[in-house]
Structures are given as structure tokens and as C-alpha cells.
Amino acid sequence: MTGAARYTEDLVVPGALHAAFVRSVVAHARITQLDTSEAARLPGVVAVLTAADLDLPPMGPGLGPPELARPPLAKDVVRFIGEAVAVVVADTREHAVDAVEAVVLDYDPLPVVTDPAEAVKDDAPSLFSDRGNVAVEAPWKGDSAKVDEAEVVVRARMVNQRVNPAPMEPSAAVAAPDPETGGVIVWAQTQAPFFAKAALRTALKLDAEKIRVVAPAVGGAFGARIVTYPEQVVIAALALRLDRPVRYVESRSETMLSLSHGRAQVQEVELGATRDGVITDLRVRITADGGAYPGEAALMPGMTVMMLCGPYRIQRVEGHTRTVATNASPVSTYRGAGRPEATWLLERMIDQLARQLALDPAEVRRRNLLPPDSFPYDTVVGARYDSGDYTASLDRVLELSGYDGLRAEQAARRERGDTLQLGIGLSTYVEITGFGAEVGAVTVERDGGVTVLTGVSPHGQGHETAWAQLVTSTLGVELERVRVVHSDTAKVPSGSGTMGSRSLQVGGSAVFQASEQVLAKGRELAAHLLEARVEDVVVHNGHGLGVAGAPATALSWAQLAEAAADPARRPEGFAGGDGDGSDGALSAQVDFEMAGSTYPFGAHVAVVEVDVETGLVRLLRHVAVDDSGRLVNPMLAEGQVHGGIAQGAGQALYEEVRYDADGNNLTGSFASYTMPSAAELPSFETARMETPSPLNPLGAKGIGESGAIGSTPAVHNAVVDALAPFGVADIDMPTTPERVWRAIERAKAQRSAGD
């Protein structure tokens, strides 16, 4: 907001060359000619390089088979529009872009498939020789669901459409030779600098100490910037090859085509229940669209299956998944990564069950929610819920929304036959967050300030503030005296990065425990210097450590740090540092890992108004009650929820990546890809519950993705609910005016035909 942040494009690197990529304009073809000679002769051009010139190995295949791994530059075959084929390096960006147009690229077209349901058919064109398009298949190995034996059965084919993360900042990277190591420094938009370092190490065949990755400010990530992209590898290879800094910045349309997309599941769902609305069985078959290189996408269907029980007690759940290749942009993690897809399908099916049984949707949910004395609770699909009070969140959101009053207003509008009909949508959800280990180091400097090293890599979440709060609350130093260092593999010992709503509960817990260890060391040192008992030494906020009840005795943290560095003043056996290079410092380093994952939960109510003559949908209200365990900074949590609701509502109402039969992306710019601005969204009404997790010392759970998980089904359910008087039982997302209008007209025609 102030302009102080420095994004990748803002970095000033003297002498840097500029790169631009030659990209495929067809979705599937053999490359028959790739002539770079004319481009190489243009003014300012330093080099034009192809896959054969760089000879880089394929990118990591993710969870897919190695033969489906993505090449950094396409060789022989292109598989989606926007795939990089060659790279131009020039003295200016303008010269590089001009030279891209001069590269001659001819193709022999191959058959195209963009629909994942079509891609699995026996006669579908194969993207990789004749192996077929199924990259990963996971048949169900547990007990089968007995849907056909249930008293009531609801079946649906559901499409969780492909969406674009659409970050504020288009993709960019800068790479420069590192004179100190003989390696390379890469500045890149990444959620996980150490993941990027590992990918670069493999691709460039360099020792780890010769690669440094720095993440500047990142203008939006949302999961799409966990993976390392081919363009980032190519830029690093160019810097080494040319012994010059190289930078590249994509256009918006390039990022819309080449950044990984999200969601993209076709779900065949069968739900069985008793006549009084108790769910007994659920069977789900998922076909996930992985795009042209589907290895990264294979993670999400498994996460969907893991969360198929939702917050409900379901006796039998069966999930079968397959991830397939299509001639479209690759799919990867996107805010929620498999959990929104599970919540959406389950919440839509519950609404359909309620409709079939003529029960209120809130009542059906209440009859199936796990009671608060269930925890820890093991689901039949292998999740272990740590803690929760699901019914309380439902009760709270119904109260805050004035649910009964909304239903009364809805009934009155229906009775009058108003043009603007009211729709009320519910969702109750639980999701999985937190994984892996994370490092946190805390050092008291000689001036009394505190330096924190963290392995998480924030990109707008406010971790610097939250981590400083953890230190301040433990050591009593002023907030402005805490410096948080992150996102640089040369300055931080290790880290798994920021994803999966893991940062506070894993990374924050590491910092908190390191702070506690520093406090213990400080108390030991202060007791020695003051000739007092350790148990009598306490924190005097803003003054340091001193004897309880005697703030005048307090030694400042600066004094304690000085004493820790002086062997003559330390007590015998005192270990101020911990072997991390801070010998003599008052410091501690912790690697924290939870025994399991945490499970945030909540309930949302969405209220929409639908113009039944035009199909226009307007979101009037969105009420959210979310429980992410104990909160460290409520304002930061609020920001995460607001952003998540906006993205989730955007999928329900506006957003969809669409392809034509030839694989052309019809939504490759903001002129055609619709997403909400603040003007399309109401002021969200939010509330917090705090059910602490027993799995970390903060009692925290994740909050970064909750809003995007709870909001989509609530908004979608609200739109379908508004159309109930017309006999509309379902409508695909996004619920655009045309799609809503057609659903109404189709229902009217069917009623007329029936009469």
C-alpha cells in the first residue's frame, strides 16, 4: 500500500539481460520446424536457445510417472497452448519480445482432448505415445459403500470447474551468477524457497551450496507458486551459461496460460441415507483433470477422498480417483488443494438430500454432525480429527444470520411471485491443515533487539507481525525491536515454506518454543548476575529480566546479551548458543513437528438475490463462523477469511477456465476470465470460535484456506435454493446469468410439457 514492498520486477540488477519465451500457439502438435536464425540477427539479441541448446532434464514428475514429466522447454511435441518452446535473450525487454515474433515455428497438428471425461476413453488421443492419458489411478481399498441398500439414494454428476489463481503479479524471475560460490542466485515468486532450491539443484546439476533462492515480495500465490516453473529453471541456466544476470517478466496473458490452474474435477457421487435424513453411505468416483503434465495434480484427488466425511458421522465411504492428462494448462495446488472439492460435493449432496426429504437443510446437517465428545475422531477414510464443536458453529452462524427470518422473507417473496427471489445457502465444513517440520531460531542481539529466523516464506499473510508478537509475549521486548528474517536460503537454515495453512501452527510453534528456550537461558544468566534463584527471575515488560516484585533490578536484554558473550560473566556450564553459528549469543533454534494434522472447521450462510427474468445473481450477505483454534492475531485471521470468501464466492458465481475443441483457452485474459472485485461482494459478517488443538503449544490450527472451503458450497447452494420454486434441482458452477436463465427456462419448458 505504501510502495515500500519490492516485487521481482522492482529488483535492480545492474547489467541484467532480458528474456522472453517463444510459446506454442497450438494445443497439441509435433514440432516440424524451429528456426531461430532470423531472430538471432535482430538488434540487441544476445542468444536464442532451444531445448537442444540447453539440454536440461525434465522437471520433477510430482506424483505422476516419470515419462509424463514436463520438459523445461518443449522438444519434439507441444501439449498445451502457452507451453514454452524456446527463449530469447536480449539487451532490453522490447528487443526480446520483438525477436520472439521472428522465431519460425511450424507444427504437424495432433488430435486434441481437453475434457477429462473424454480423455479416459479408449479412443481418446494420447498425449504421451500410446500409454493412455491416465497418469495416476487410486482404486478404493477399504470397505465398499452400500448405497444401493439405503432407504434413500441421491445421485449426481458434478463438475468442480477449472479456475485460474489469477494473482495480482504476473510471473517473473531474476537470476545472477554468484561470484562467491561460482553458482547462481535466483529471485523468484515462490512459496517455498527451499523447494525451489532443490528443483534447481536437480535441473542445473549443482551442489546445494552453489544455489541461493530468494523470494521477494509476492503479489499473490494461492498455492500456484509452490511448484518451481520451467521458466525459472531456464532463467537460472541462462545466467550460468551467459555469465550475466538475466530477468524475465511475463505479460498478464502469458501468466493466464502458463501458471498452473486449480480444481478441475468431474465427480460421480452417490449418497445413501435413512428416511429421517441420517447419512449412511457415500460413494465418489473422481476424474481429475491434470492438464498436459498431470503429476502435480495427482495430489488433490487424494486430499478430496481424505476429507469426504466432512464434519459428519458417515458409516461407509468409498472413493476412487484417477488423474488424467489433457491438452490444457497443467493443474496444481490452489487455495484448499482438494479440500474445497470434497466440501463442495458433500454440501451439495446434503442439500439435494434435504430437498428430496422435504427437510430444512440446517436440520439435515444437525442430524449428522459429529458431537463435541467425539474427539479425537478417526474417520473411515483415514483422517484423525483433533478437536471440534461442529454443532456450535452451525448454531452460531444460524443465529448471526437470522436464519429463521431469512426463511420467512424467502417464503413471502415466493408467495408474491417477486422477480427478485431470495436464496439461502448453508455449508458446514472441516478441513485438514499443518504438516511437516519447520525451523525457528531466536537470537538476542547485543543492542537488545531480537532476530528471528523462520523457514516459512510469507507472501502477504503478515507472518512478520505474528512471529514478532510471539517473541514479544514471551521475552517482553518491544514489537519494533524484533526483526524477522525469511525467504532466503542463504540466511535461513531450512524450511518447508508457506502452504497448507501450516505456518502458525508449525513455523510459529518453532519460533515460540525457541523464544521460551531463550527466556530460560536469559533467566539462568540473570539469576547468576543478580545472585538470585532462577525461579525468582521474571520478565519485566520493556525492561528485561529481574527479580519478581523488584523491577529496579531488571537487566535489559542488551545487558544480558553482552554478558552471554563474555565467558567471565557467564555461569559455569552456560550454553547461550546452540551450535548454529551463534557461539556466545543468547539464542536458540528449534525444529518443530506436530504428531498429526489439525482440523479447522466452521459454518457459512450465504444469501443471494436472483433476478428470475435475467438470471442475474447478487450476493447480498455472507456470514461465516470459522474455528482455527487459538488465535495469535485476530486481525490477520480476519484478512485470511475475507480473502478466502472472495475466492470461494468467485468460483461459485463468476470464475471458469474454458477451452474450445481445438484447445484454445477462451478465458486467457481479464477481458474474458471473470472474477469479482470489491464492488461485487458484500461486507462479510464474520465470527470466530476458538477450539484449541492439542497438537501444538499454541493450540492453533490453520486459517488461510477456510474461507475458500466454506464459501463456495454456501453460495452455490443459495443460488440453487432461490430457483427451487421453478423446479431447478441443480446448476453447474459458475452460476452466471446466462446459465441461471437457461436453467429457469428449461424448467419452465419441462413443466409445460408435463402439464
Side-chain angles (χ1 to χ4, degrees):
M1 294 294 287
T2 64
R6 289 292 177 265
Y7 296 87
T8 308
E9 190 173 5
D10 297 326
L11 299 176
V12 177
V13 183
L17 299 170
H18 295 262
F21 287 88
V22 180
R23 299 185 182 276
S24 173
V25 295
V26 297
H28 198 198
R30 298 190 188 280
I31 300 173
T32 58
Q33 183 182 16
L34 180 53
D35 186 350
T36 63
S37 57
E38 181 181 351
R41 291 192 294 268
L42 292 178
V45 174
V46 175
V48 185
L49 301 171
T50 66
D53 298 319
L54 290 176
D55 191 27
L56 294 167
M59 306 293 292
L63 298 179
E67 63 268 25
L68 272 61
R70 181 176 182 176
L73 293 175
K75 184 178 181 180
D76 301 328
V77 176
V78 293
R79 295 183 174 88
F80 71 98
I81 290 177
E83 184 171 11
V85 177
V87 61
V88 174
V89 186
D91 58 349
T92 67
R93 187 186 302 178
E94 291 76 13
H95 282 153
V97 171
D98 287 345
V100 164
E101 299 300 320
V103 173
V104 177
L105 186 58
D106 287 335
Y107 310 93
D108 180 13
L110 295 170
V112 171
V113 59
T114 59
D115 185 336
E118 295 294 322
V120 297
K121 293 182 177 179
D122 293 339
D123 59 350
S126 180
L127 272 70
F128 296 86
S129 300
D130 296 322
R131 71 171 304 285
N133 294 318
V134 177
V136 177
E137 187 162 13
W140 184 246
K141 297 179 181 179
D143 295 335
S144 298
K146 301 177 181 180
V147 176
D148 295 333
E149 300 177 14
E151 295 176 348
V152 180
V153 178
V154 181
R155 294 183 172 88
R157 180 183 186 274
M158 309 170 72
V159 178
N160 201 296
Q161 80 273 30
R162 178 186 281 250
V163 294
N164 198 310
M168 177 178 70
E169 181 189 20
S171 297
V174 178
D178 187 345
E180 294 185 7
T181 65
V184 65
I185 305 173
V186 178
W187 292 267
Q189 306 148 318
T190 176
Q191 297 172 233
F194 283 92
F195 286 12
K197 179 174 179 173
L200 289 165
R201 179 185 178 187
T202 300
L204 303 176
K205 300 177 182 176
L206 290 177
D207 293 336
E209 62 268 18
K210 291 189 175 183
I211 299 173
R212 178 184 177 187
V213 176
V214 182
V218 177
F222 312 122
R225 286 174 167 152
I226 296 173
V227 300
T228 301
Y229 285 88
E231 292 86 351
Q232 296 167 339
V233 170
V234 170
I235 293 301
L238 290 172
L240 290 170
R241 182 186 182 102
L242 301 174
D243 198 27
R244 292 274 302 276
V246 181
R247 63 190 306 143
Y248 100 106
V249 178
E250 290 182 354
S251 66
R252 170 59 59 183
S253 57
E254 281 184 287
T255 296
M256 295 293 281
L257 294 174
S258 61
L259 193 72
S260 66
H261 295 164
R263 307 292 186 250
Q265 289 187 5
V266 178
Q267 304 163 336
E268 303 285 344
V269 187
E270 300 172 279
L271 182 145
T274 65
R275 290 187 181 89
D276 57 0
V278 175
I279 302 168
T280 57
D281 298 89
L282 180 67
R283 180 184 295 128
V284 180
R285 294 182 175 88
I286 297 170
T287 301
D289 181 358
Y293 301 99
E296 296 294 341
L299 169 70
M300 272 62 75
M303 294 296 290
T304 300
V305 171
M306 177 67 73
M307 297 312 300
L308 280 179
C309 286
Y312 309 110
R313 189 188 300 276
I314 305 178
Q315 299 174 28
R316 292 170 292 274
V317 177
E318 178 182 346
H320 178 286
T321 71
R322 53 188 174 182
T323 304
V324 304
T326 62
N327 294 117
S329 300
V331 170
S332 185
T333 47
Y334 174 64
R335 200 168 194 168
R339 291 103 79 198
E341 295 90 320
T343 298
W344 174 74
L345 78 84
L346 189 55
E347 294 302 292
R348 283 293 303 124
M349 293 300 287
I350 288 178
D351 261 34
Q352 294 193 37
L353 174 65
R355 181 169 180 160
Q356 187 166 323
L357 296 175
L359 293 172
D360 187 286
E363 180 57 30
V364 174
R365 287 170 172 81
R366 190 184 306 280
R367 294 180 186 184
N368 288 281
L369 288 171
L370 289 165
D373 60 359
S374 302
F375 303 94
Y377 178 78
D378 295 312
T379 72
V380 295
V381 287
R384 184 174 179 83
Y385 297 171
D386 55 336
S387 62
D389 191 344
Y390 304 155
T391 302
S393 66
L394 176 61
D395 290 342
R396 185 85 184 277
V397 82
L398 295 177
E399 177 187 0
L400 290 175
S401 64
Y403 184 76
D404 291 340
L406 290 171
R407 287 295 182 196
E409 181 184 350
Q410 180 186 62
R413 291 195 189 196
R414 290 179 176 179
E415 179 68 24
R416 295 192 301 266
D418 288 1
T419 300
L420 299 178
Q421 286 292 317
L422 203 65
I424 305 156
L426 276 169
S427 76
T428 46
Y429 75 89
V430 61
E431 66 138 335
I432 180 173
T433 65
F435 64 89
E438 201 55 79
V439 66
V442 174
T443 300
V444 180
E445 307 292 353
R446 297 286 189 91
D447 64 356
V450 179
T451 299
V452 175
L453 305 182
T454 179
V456 300
S457 186
H459 36 272
Q461 296 92 336
H463 295 158
E464 298 94 329
T465 301
W467 279 213
Q469 286 181 279
L470 292 172
V471 172
T472 296
S473 64
T474 305
L475 303 183
V477 299
E478 296 86 352
L479 195 70
E480 59 271 15
R481 301 300 307 280
V482 181
R483 183 173 70 101
V484 180
V485 178
H486 57 81
S487 304
D488 187 335
T489 62
K491 296 180 178 179
V492 178
S494 64
S496 297
T498 298
M499 64 200 75
S501 301
R502 66 187 293 275
S503 297
L504 178 65
Q505 56 190 311
V506 186
S509 290
V511 170
F512 177 67
Q513 289 188 338
S515 299
E516 289 189 314
Q517 290 185 17
V518 168
L519 176 60
K521 293 176 181 181
R523 292 179 67 202
E524 179 187 357
L525 182 58
H528 172 73
L529 296 172
L530 296 173
E531 299 182 349
R533 296 189 309 167
V534 171
E535 51 267 32
D536 291 335
V537 176
V538 298
V539 174
H540 293 283
N541 286 335
H543 300 285
L545 302 182
V547 176
T553 66
L555 297 172
S556 71
W557 282 106
Q559 291 173 308
L560 291 168
E562 288 286 349
D566 184 352
R569 301 180 65 193
R570 300 195 299 253
E572 184 178 351
F574 179 78
D578 55 8
D580 64 345
S582 57
D583 291 342
L586 195 53
S587 67
Q589 179 174 310
V590 170
D591 290 287
F592 178 80
E593 184 172 8
M594 292 193 303
S597 293
T598 61
Y599 291 83
F601 63 93
H604 288 211
V605 169
V607 183
V608 302
E609 201 170 55
V610 178
D611 188 324
V612 298
E613 293 181 351
T614 67
L616 181 66
V617 178
R618 188 162 66 97
L619 182 59
L620 297 181
R621 293 177 64 194
H622 195 97
V623 187
V625 174
D626 299 292
D627 190 318
S628 56
R630 188 171 289 121
L631 297 176
V632 169
N633 188 311
M635 184 178 292
L636 293 178
E638 184 79 2
Q640 289 295 302
V641 171
H642 278 236
I645 293 173
Q647 285 184 271
Q651 182 181 3
L653 298 174
Y654 305 105
E655 299 185 42
E656 181 181 27
V657 175
R658 292 182 291 111
Y659 290 91
D660 66 13
D662 296 321
N664 294 300
N665 187 327
L666 304 178
T667 49
S669 74
F670 285 150
S672 51
Y673 185 82
T674 309
M675 56 187 288
S677 71
E680 282 74 48
L681 299 170
S683 293
F684 304 134
E685 303 164 53
T686 62
R688 298 283 170 272
M689 289 173 45
E690 293 189 43
T691 306
S693 172
L695 299 180
N696 62 75
L698 300 175
K701 304 182 183 184
I703 191 62
E705 295 155 295
S706 294
I709 292 170
S711 61
T712 304
V715 175
H716 191 192
N717 282 339
V719 176
V720 178
D721 181 58
L723 305 182
F726 300 93
V728 176
D730 197 13
I731 181 172
D732 287 340
M733 295 189 297
T735 54
T736 61
E738 179 183 0
R739 193 166 278 171
V740 170
W741 180 83
R742 289 187 181 278
I744 294 172
E745 293 303 308
R746 187 164 50 249
K748 287 180 178 178
Q750 290 172 349
R751 281 189 173 183
S752 297
D755 293 341

